[in-house]
Amino acid sequence: MHPALLAVITIAIGVGGCIGYFYLSNLFLDKVLFPAKGPNIGQNINRANAIRPWLFLFPAMFALGLYLAYPVFETLRLSFFNRSLGQYVGFDNYARMFGEPKFLEALRNNFLWLLIVPAASTAFGLMAAQLTDRIKWGNLAKSLVFMPMAISFVGASVIWKLVYDAKPLGQEQIGILNAIYLGLGGSEPQQWLTIPLWNNMFLMIVLIWIQTGFAMVILSAALRGIPEETIEAAIIDGANPFQIFFKIKVPQIAGTIVVVWTTITLVVLKIFDIVFAMTNGQWNTQVLANYMYDKLFRAGDWGVGSASAIVIMVLVLPILVWNVRSARKEMR
Amino acid sequence: MDNIAGSKAGLTWAVHLSVALLVFVWMVPTVGLFISSFRTADQISSTGWWKAAFPIEQNLTLRTAAPDTQVQEGDQFVVTGNLFEEAESTVSNLSAFAISARDIGAYQPGETAEMRDGSRITVEENGDYRLESAEAFEGSRGERVFVTATVPPEFTLANYDQVLGKDVARNIVIYAVASLLFGFALTLIFRSYETGVMSFAHYIGGFLLFFALIAIFGLSSGKVAGAQSTDDMSRAFMSTLTVTIPATIIPIVIAAFAAYALAWMDFPGRALLIAFVVALLVVPLQLALIPLLKLHLAIGIGKGYLGVWLAHTGFGLPLAIYLLRNYMVGLPRDIIENAKVDGATDYQIFVRIILPLSFPALASFAIFQFLWTWNDLLVAKVFLIDATGDTTVMTNQIVELLGTRGGNWEILATAAFVSIAVPLLVFFMMQKYLVRGLLAGSVK
C-alpha cells in the first residue's frame, strides 16, 4: 500500500477511533450502565460521574505508561543483562562502561556541554531580550534570532559545517570562519572540528545558536512582567541602566531564569543529532546519547546501551524531582 | 519603561548597533546555506558565498572540438571554433588561457601556445580558437584548454532540480504565488466574516488551490540527467510528511480528553496523576528506545510507520497534556458551571465548549509536535528506517549525504534547505501560537 494512503487511513482510524471511543464509552455509561432514570437515579448519576474521568484518562494514561513509564523500569532491568539481554550479569555492564575511555570522554564532554550551553544561551537570551525590548524594530529582531528554533539539529549541522569548512592553504576559503580567521592574520586554515576540546566548543555553538531564541522569548515576557514602580523607584534613586538591569530586573526574574536554564539543560543532556551529524564522536567529541546509540546499533551491545541510558536518566533525575515538587507546590 | 527619565542618545545608538550585530551574526549561517543552494558547484568551491553577488575570476576547463571536425588547409590540419559556445557556457570572454593545469594563466588572449606534440593553439578574447598541426589529430576528444575568465554572478535552480526533480522548485513557487493571490482575493470577498469557518476561507481556499494545481499540472517533469538516486529528496520528503501528520494529530485528540479530566473533573488521585505527567515531561526518550523496540519487534509492528506514529504519540503526550491542562484550567469556571446547570454532560461540555475555546493551546501544541516530529532523527532511525531504507526521512538522508557527499556543497545545501523550508514556513506563519505555547509551557 502507498504510505500516503496508509497515513490517511491511520489518521482516520486514529482520530475516528479516539473520538468514537470517547463518544461510545460515554454513551454506554450514560444510557446502559448507569442510566439517569429509574428508581435510583441519583445514585446512578453519581456513579457515572465517578467513572467518567477514567474514561477520559484511559487512552492517555495507557500510552504514557507503556511508552514512557514502563521503559524506565524495563531499561533499568535490562542494564543488568549481557549484550544480547539473555543472561543476568549484575553490575558488570556498569563496571565495563566506567572502564572504557570513550565513555569517560562522553561523560566529560556532557559535563562541558552542561556547564557552557545553558549558561551561554541564557546569557545571550537575556541580553537579546533586554536590548530588543527597547527598540522599535525589536519584534523583527526577535523573530530572526528566534528562527533557528524551527531548524532541525541536522539542518543546523549542515549550516554550521559550511561555516566551519576548510580548504587547503592557497585556495580560496568557502567557510566563513576560516575566511575571517585568515583575514585577521591566521597563518593557515584550521579544521575546526578536529581540534580536541575546542571542537566541543564549536559543536556547542550550534546548540547555543538554536537555544538563545528560546531563552530570549521567555525572558523577554518575564522582563515585561516586572512592575514598573520598582524601576521608577530605582531611577529616582539615581541608578544607572546597568544597575537597573542587574540589581532590579534580574533578581525579579530569577525564577524564570532558573526555568529557562533547566529546560535547556534537559535538551543538552539528550543532545544527539548535532554530534551524530557533525563528528559522530570522533576527535574526542563523544557525548552520552551518541555513545548509547553507538553501543545499540553499531556494537550491538544492548546491555551497555541500557546502562548508558540509565546514566542519562540519573543526570535528569534531580530536575525531575524539582519539577514535580514545584508543580505540587503550585497546586496547593 | 526605561525611557521615563529620558535616556542618553549615545546609549540608544549602542542598543541599535548591538541588536543589529546580534541579528547579523545569528542570520549569517542560514543565509550562507540559502545562497549556496542557488550556486553552481564550481562557484561554491571557488569563492565564498558572501562573494556570490560579485563577478568572480574563475578557472574553467574547456575542450576544443573533437578531431573529426578538422579540415586540411594546405599541409596543416586545422580545428576552429569557439570554446564557450561549444561548452554552452554563459561566460563570453577570457582574460588568459593555458594548455596545462600547472601554469594556469600562462598566455594572454591572441597569443599562440605550442603544445608538446607540436600543434599550436591560438585563443582570442571571445573564445574563438584555431588549433593547427602538421599531422592529423587523432582520438575522440578535443584538446583541453584551461581558461581564466571573469564570471558574472549567476544563480540557478539546477540544484533543486537535481534534488527534487526537474522544475519542482519552479512549479512550487508559481503555484504558491497563484494560491497566495487567490487567498488574498478571498480575504477581500469574505472580509465581513470575523468568526467561524468563513473567516478561514482564504487559508482553506489558498491551500485547496495549491493542491489542486499540483494534482492537475503535476510538480516534476522528470529526472535531471545524471542525478544520483541518493540525492533524490522527494521520496524522503513524502516519507517525512507521512510520519509527521498522524504523529501530530493523534496525540492532540488523546491529550485533549485527558487534559479536560485533569483540569475540570473531580476524582481521587488527580493531583498524583498530574505529578505523574509532570515527571514524564522530562524523561529522556533514550530510556524508551530499547524496551519499545523490543516490544514492537515482539508484537509484530516491527520497524515502520505504525511504530513511529505510536512512539511519537507516546513521547508527545506529556507536553500535550501539560500544555492543554494549564490552558483549560484558566478558562472561566462560570461557563462550565452554567452549562452543567443547563443539563450538559461532561462530554457535551468538552466537545461544545472547552475544545473550541482551547484552540490557541491546541494550535501551540500542534506546532511544537509538528516541528519536533519533522525535525526528529533519533526516533525515525530507531523505529522507522529498516534495512531497505525505503522509508528514510529527510533528516536521515541528509546525514547520509554528509557522509557520502561531504564536499558537494551544492547538493548538501539544497537538500538541507528543502528540509528546513517547511518548518520555517510554519514558524513564520504561526509564530504567535509558538510563543504562546512556549510561555504556557515554562513560565510559572
Side-chain angles (χ1 to χ4, degrees):
Chain A
M1 201 181 338
H2 193 274
L5 191 65
L6 187 67
V8 172
I9 294 173
T10 312
I11 296 176
I13 293 178
V15 175
C18 289
I19 292 172
Y21 159 80
F22 287 115
Y23 182 75
L24 292 177
S25 63
N26 272 283
L27 205 66
F28 179 74
L29 189 68
D30 288 330
K31 302 283 180 222
V32 183
L33 204 55
F34 298 115
K37 59 186 175 205
N40 37 13
I41 171 168
Q43 198 190 2
N44 271 359
I45 289 180
N46 284 342
R47 276 189 186 156
N49 282 342
I51 292 179
R52 200 182 328 272
W54 301 103
L55 289 183
F56 274 59
L57 282 168
F58 172 73
M61 290 305 149
F62 178 75
L64 282 180
L66 184 64
Y67 275 83
L68 283 168
Y70 151 77
V72 172
F73 300 103
E74 177 70 0
T75 304
L76 182 62
R77 191 180 74 83
L78 293 177
S79 70
F80 297 115
F81 283 79
N82 72 349
R83 55 185 299 130
S84 54
L85 305 179
Q87 194 193 350
Y88 180 80
V89 293
F91 283 92
D92 214 28
N93 288 328
Y94 292 92
R96 269 200 297 143
M97 202 167 65
F98 278 93
E100 205 181 319
K102 207 65 188 167
F103 173 78
L104 296 176
E105 173 197 317
L107 210 56
R108 181 204 67 191
N109 287 341
N110 252 55
F111 275 113
L112 277 181
W113 280 74
L114 277 180
L115 281 180
I116 296 171
V117 175
S121 308
T122 315
F124 279 127
L126 190 58
M127 193 180 77
Q130 167 68 10
L131 292 177
T132 50
D133 272 348
R134 299 164 60 120
I135 53 176
K136 272 196 195 128
W137 53 288
N139 277 338
L140 176 71
K142 261 187 209 147
S143 246
L144 295 175
V145 174
F146 191 34
M147 183 193 69
M149 221 19 214
I151 295 176
S152 61
F153 287 162
V154 173
S157 301
V158 178
I159 289 176
W160 282 88
K161 265 207 140 166
L162 181 58
V163 171
Y164 296 149
D165 194 85
K167 291 260 175 177
L169 192 63
Q171 285 184 36
E172 193 152 355
Q173 296 300 321
I174 65 167
I176 196 164
L177 189 61
N178 267 316
I180 293 172
Y181 177 72
L182 293 182
L184 293 177
S187 55
E188 56 185 306
Q190 302 287 318
Q191 295 281 352
W192 301 107
L193 292 175
T194 62
I195 313 167
L197 275 181
W198 284 103
N199 51 8
N200 281 303
M201 198 59 223
F202 290 113
L203 295 181
M204 288 179 217
I205 287 174
V206 181
L207 192 60
I208 295 171
W209 177 72
I210 294 174
Q211 294 293 332
T212 294
F214 162 77
M216 176 196 67
V217 164
I218 295 193
L219 293 172
S220 148
L223 281 176
R224 260 182 268 135
I226 294 177
E228 283 195 31
E229 300 83 55
T230 58
I231 294 158
E232 280 171 33
I235 293 175
I236 291 167
D237 286 350
N240 68 35
F242 292 98
Q243 286 174 323
I244 293 176
F245 182 66
F246 285 109
K247 299 204 167 147
I248 310 290
K249 287 186 172 178
V250 170
Q252 291 195 68
I253 59 167
T256 313
I257 293 180
V258 172
V259 171
V260 169
W261 195 294
T262 47
T263 311
I264 300 176
T265 302
L266 285 172
V267 177
V268 170
L269 280 170
K270 293 184 282 188
I271 190 67
F272 164 74
D273 311 31
I274 293 177
V275 176
F276 183 75
M278 288 184 86
T279 63
N280 199 6
Q282 286 171 290
W283 309 295
N284 295 338
T285 55
Q286 189 66 294
V287 290
L288 284 174
N290 195 47
Y291 174 85
M292 181 201 165
Y293 186 87
D294 256 1
K295 283 293 166 200
L296 266 186
F297 295 103
R298 295 224 186 81
D301 192 336
W302 290 36
V304 173
S306 304
S308 52
I310 292 296
V311 172
I312 301 178
M313 185 68 212
V314 168
L315 293 175
V316 170
L317 214 54
I319 300 178
L320 187 148
V321 173
W322 186 77
N323 261 12
V324 171
R325 278 181 57 180
S326 52
R328 289 189 72 98
K329 216 184 291 169
E330 216 171 283
M331 300 262 292
R332 271 187 219 120
Chain B
M1 62 186 132
D2 299 310
N3 302 337
I4 310 162
S7 56
K8 298 187 188 91
L11 201 61
T12 316
W13 274 108
V15 169
H16 278 284
L17 277 179
S18 32
V19 173
L21 183 71
L22 184 81
V23 170
F24 178 75
V25 170
W26 247 249
M27 291 295 292
V28 159
T30 319
V31 171
L33 187 86
F34 183 64
I35 292 178
S36 297
S37 73
F38 293 103
R39 301 180 81 204
T40 63
D42 282 346
Q43 286 176 321
I44 293 178
S45 58
S46 55
T47 55
W49 56 265
W50 53 93
K51 293 181 186 160
F54 307 105
I56 52 172
E57 188 147 280
Q58 204 175 343
N59 296 315
L60 307 169
T61 307
L62 303 172
R63 272 182 194 278
T64 62
D68 54 11
T69 60
Q70 62 188 308
V71 287
Q72 201 169 0
E73 294 179 4
D75 58 348
Q76 295 281 328
F77 293 89
V78 178
V79 180
T80 54
N82 184 296
L83 285 172
F84 296 126
E85 278 168 23
E86 280 155 22
E88 292 179 8
S89 168
T90 50
V91 185
S92 58
N93 61 350
L94 57 93
S95 57
F97 72 97
I99 47 173
S100 151
R102 265 169 300 172
D103 53 356
I104 278 175
Y107 301 95
Q108 295 301 308
E111 287 183 349
T112 301
E114 188 154 341
M115 298 197 192
R116 230 181 303 165
D117 59 0
S119 57
R120 291 174 308 282
I121 184 165
T122 312
V123 183
E124 301 298 334
E125 197 181 343
N126 65 359
D128 285 344
Y129 64 88
R130 182 182 167 85
L131 178 64
E132 38 180 50
S133 169
E135 291 162 39
F137 294 100
E138 282 165 10
S140 60
R141 306 183 72 180
E143 298 285 346
R144 283 196 297 177
V145 182
F146 300 90
V147 165
T148 308
T150 303
V151 184
E154 186 200 350
F155 295 99
T156 166
L157 283 176
N159 301 328
Y160 287 88
D161 286 350
Q162 191 167 354
V163 163
L164 287 173
K166 214 172 190 173
D167 295 337
V168 173
R170 196 201 62 185
N171 286 347
I172 288 180
V173 170
I174 294 174
Y175 298 164
V177 169
S179 308
L180 273 179
L181 290 177
F182 182 63
F184 184 67
L186 287 180
T187 335
L188 295 180
I189 298 171
F190 292 107
R191 65 180 153 190
S192 54
Y193 296 89
E194 279 175 8
T195 54
V197 184
M198 296 317 279
S199 64
F200 291 105
H202 51 289
Y203 276 121
I204 300 169
F207 275 110
L208 282 182
L209 181 71
F210 185 68
F211 291 115
L213 285 172
I214 291 179
I216 297 168
F217 297 107
L219 270 181
S220 171
S221 35
K223 277 205 182 319
V224 177
Q228 291 187 24
S229 64
T230 49
D231 294 344
D232 181 20
M233 294 288 284
S234 54
R235 202 180 52 182
F237 187 95
M238 288 314 291
S239 183
T240 299
L241 203 63
T242 312
V243 171
T244 305
I245 293 175
T248 304
I249 296 176
I250 296 173
I252 292 183
V253 181
I254 298 179
F257 281 93
Y260 174 72
L262 291 176
W264 286 109
M265 291 166 121
D266 264 327
F267 58 91
R270 187 171 80 160
L272 209 63
L273 279 183
I274 295 172
F276 177 65
V277 171
V278 172
L280 292 184
L281 212 49
V282 300
V283 169
L285 66 89
Q286 270 85 3
L287 270 287
L289 300 182
I290 299 173
L292 290 181
L293 186 58
K294 270 180 64 179
L295 181 80
H296 280 184
L297 294 175
I299 62 176
I301 296 176
K303 284 187 163 200
Y305 286 116
L306 188 59
V308 82
W309 290 328
L310 290 174
H312 274 311
T313 301
F315 301 151
L317 270 180
L319 183 68
I321 299 177
Y322 182 71
L323 273 185
L324 293 176
R325 191 202 88 94
N326 276 359
Y327 188 84
M328 288 177 186
V329 158
L331 294 175
R333 180 175 284 273
D334 300 355
I335 306 181
I336 293 153
E337 282 177 355
N338 282 347
K340 272 197 179 146
V341 169
D342 289 344
T345 65
D346 273 314
Y347 183 78
Q348 286 169 323
I349 294 176
F350 174 70
V351 174
R352 301 261 175 85
I353 301 175
I354 300 288
L355 221 45
L357 283 179
S358 303
F359 177 76
L362 296 174
S364 294
F365 173 73
I367 297 166
F368 273 119
Q369 182 76 355
F370 175 82
L371 290 179
W372 150 242
T373 49
W374 186 279
N375 290 338
D376 158 77
L377 171 70
L378 185 57
V379 177
K381 261 184 119 58
V382 174
F383 293 106
L384 174 65
I385 300 161
D386 52 18
T388 63
D390 285 338
T391 51
T392 186
V393 291
M394 281 195 287
T395 45
N396 185 52
Q397 194 168 356
I398 292 170
V399 172
E400 275 168 14
L401 284 175
L402 272 173
T404 55
R405 313 205 58 167
N408 296 69
W409 279 108
E410 74 287 0
I411 297 297
L412 273 175
T414 314
F417 197 75
V418 165
S419 95
I420 292 171
V422 176
L424 281 186
L425 204 68
V426 171
F427 173 81
F428 282 114
M429 276 169 63
M430 316 276 273
Q431 204 179 3
K432 186 175 74 178
Y433 294 111
L434 185 69
V435 170
R436 233 185 254 180
L438 273 183
L439 294 179
S442 35
V443 172
K444 290 286 104 208

